[in-house]
Amino acid sequence: PALRGRIALRLEGDEALGDEGYRLTVDEDSVVLRASRPEGLFRGVQTLRQLLPASVEEPTAHPGPWRIPAGRIVDRPRFAWRGAMLDVARHFFTVAEVERYIDLLALYKINHLHLHLADDQGWRIMIRSWPNLAAHGGSTKVGGGPGGYYTQQDYAAIVAYARDRYVTVVPEIDMPGHTNAALASYPELNCNGVAPALYTGIEVGFSSLCVGSETTYLFVDDVVRELAELTPGPYLHLGGDEVKTLTHEEYVGFVERVQGIVAAHGKRMIGWEEVEQARLLPTSVAQVWRSGNAGAAAVRTGAKLILSPSARIYLDMQYDSTTTPGLHWAGYVEVRDAYDWDPATLVPGVGEAEILGVEAPLWTETVTDVHAIEFMAFPRLPGLAEIGWSPATARHWEDYRLRLAAHGRRWSALGVNYHRSPQVDWEDGERR
Ligand code: TNX
């Protein structure tokens, strides 16, 4: 009776809910949300938001009454890692733009934001011991023109904003390849001692740090130390993808040494799937991006996987041949392709227990502004969020496309630019 007419959020120990689970009870005159941890209450509030009419998301105040359906929900996630990656290297996005993306991630209970902070075309975070990385390496972008970088204060603001929404920021400095911006900033990182010009094209695989030089490892140690200090979470992503100029031995030696540097700074290494050629620690994580057997070798060393299969969930792929922007080297990825797959059957011989979770990367060679970010992420990203949260037995495309249809209104209310996929009968138009 004390709860009549109230919305109550209660922290109550309940082992069955884990860190992120919650119980929501809505009856005629009260709403009660219970969780073991504040994080669980936060996830439950996102469900409550989705039960309210779409107009609750509009920036202007509306009079009530606000009605939500009565019922009881007990909910917790299938996977601990539900991530989104944003490439701020090919094109740079401001702190405010990244924060807006974090808000949209949080609405769908995504709990990791992986920032791809350095690539051939740009270095986007100030490293105080190597300031020219940002000052020179961050000065341009794909297609040329001004780039940008985050000061450490800017970056700390992003991390704090995300943490307030129970989103962990995972920084990535890609190496030894994808490093032209660094090589252009410091001649001593190059085997021939000569800094190349800045690069504004979109080829991959041509650059590498000088893996035989001790200067390289002093550089990596400084970068990892400064990144670790800025990172509350346990993971640092060191890239490792698409290296075409090193021998197998050179590549493996580099990855193993970098893995040790990350561990020496108290963090765990994540790398793209190629790192499984090295001897991984059981605390390391490989991020699978192609199909086939990628990830199986990593699992044999005890490492866990993050699944980002490009043909399913690369948000930089075009929806079909008529939509822009985007690439299509992994195929066209329509809403159904992005939703209708199960992580536990992706890698032969790799089951649910070896999978940390799923992540949707958004590479930005062709994605130049926030409208384009939103168009590529919506509606595919909410599908990834559901794959990461809900059991496979609770997911069916025919049911999902009806539930998704109602979100068009919500995105319009939020001002989100989304792809009106022909696979969904959007309910957008009238309000409430
Ligand atoms: C491959 S996926 C890359 C990126 C590109 C992307 C474009 C991966 C680990 N590397 O460097 O941006 O394709 O789709």
Side-chain angles (χ1 to χ4, degrees), residues 87 90 116 119 174 178 204 241-242 272 274 289 314 316-317 327 329 363-365:
D87 171 9
R90 271 56 178 268
H116 185 76
D119 212 300
D174 204 344
H178 290 273
V204 296
D241 58 314
E242 298 179 316
W272 296 103
E274 289 93 326
W289 60 281
Y314 262 31
D316 66 318
M317 293 298 119
L327 306 171
W329 62 261
W363 303 101
T364 59
E365 287 96 330

Side-chain angles (χ1 to χ4, degrees), residues 85-93 98 114-125 137-150 172-174 178-179 181 199-202 362-365 367:
M85 189 212 82
L86 183 62
D87 171 9
V88 297
R90 271 56 178 268
H91 283 93
F92 181 67
F93 299 94
V98 173
H114 162 185
L115 287 176
H116 185 76
L117 290 166
D119 212 300
D120 291 316
Q121 300 86 348
W123 184 288
R124 305 300 181 200
I125 185 165
S139 63
T140 192
K141 62 184 176 193
V142 166
Y149 65 85
Y150 307 120
E172 178 189 354
I173 297 292
D174 204 344
H178 290 273
T179 43
Y199 180 69
T200 60
I202 65 168
L362 179 45
W363 303 101
T364 59
E365 287 96 330
V367 174

Side-chain angles (χ1 to χ4, degrees), residues 204-355:
V204 296
F206 60 88
S207 58
S208 177
L209 295 174
C210 187
V211 300
S213 152
E214 282 311 300
T215 304
T216 295
Y217 299 96
L218 294 175
F219 160 82
V220 173
D221 190 72
D222 284 335
V223 170
V224 167
R225 175 173 36 78
E226 293 196 32
L227 275 185
E229 283 167 4
L230 288 164
T231 303
Y235 292 106
L236 301 182
H237 201 309
L238 275 299
D241 58 314
E242 298 179 316
V243 181
K244 298 180 185 164
T245 62
L246 299 180
T247 65
H248 173 77
E249 289 68 28
E250 287 172 326
Y251 176 79
V252 163
F254 178 84
V255 170
E256 290 177 1
R257 202 157 160 192
V258 166
Q259 177 175 249
I261 292 171
V262 171
H265 290 285
K267 299 293 184 184
R268 303 174 174 202
M269 185 184 79
I270 306 179
W272 296 103
E273 66 188 30
E274 289 93 326
V275 300
E276 72 179 349
Q277 297 166 64
R279 252 176 323 206
L280 295 180
L281 295 169
T283 48
S284 293
V285 173
Q287 183 166 9
V288 170
W289 60 281
R290 288 177 289 214
S291 49
N293 277 324
V299 163
R300 281 196 293 276
T301 70
K304 296 263 189 293
L305 303 184
I306 294 171
L307 303 182
S308 301
S310 47
R312 294 294 189 175
I313 202 56
Y314 262 31
L315 298 180
D316 66 318
M317 293 298 119
Q318 291 167 272
Y319 289 93
D320 64 37
S321 64
T322 69
T323 64
T324 53
L327 306 171
H328 53 258
W329 62 261
Y332 298 111
V333 180
E334 247 300 354
V335 180
R336 182 173 186 166
D337 303 306
Y339 180 78
D340 213 355
W341 62 281
D342 182 26
T345 58
L346 186 79
V347 184
V350 173
E352 188 149 340
E354 286 91 36
I355 299 169

Side-chain angles (χ1 to χ4, degrees), residues 155-211:
Y155 188 79
I158 293 172
V159 169
Y161 189 93
R163 190 171 41 194
D164 285 347
R165 287 150 185 81
Y166 297 93
V167 173
T168 303
V169 177
V170 181
E172 178 189 354
I173 297 292
D174 204 344
M175 60 180 72
H178 290 273
T179 43
N180 191 77
L183 298 170
S185 305
Y186 287 97
E188 61 267 43
L189 296 177
N190 297 268
C191 288
N192 64 2
V194 179
L198 292 168
Y199 180 69
T200 60
I202 65 168
E203 295 299 313
V204 296
F206 60 88
S207 58
S208 177
L209 295 174
C210 187
V211 300

Side-chain angles (χ1 to χ4, degrees), residues 54-55 57-58 404-415 418 426-432:
S55 54
E57 301 295 351
E58 284 173 6
L404 189 63
H407 283 249
R409 273 187 213 163
R410 222 158 268 278
W411 299 330
S412 295
L414 285 163
Y418 68 97
W426 298 102
E427 286 175 24
D428 203 357
E430 81 279 294
R431 296 259 179 271
R432 273 217 270 181

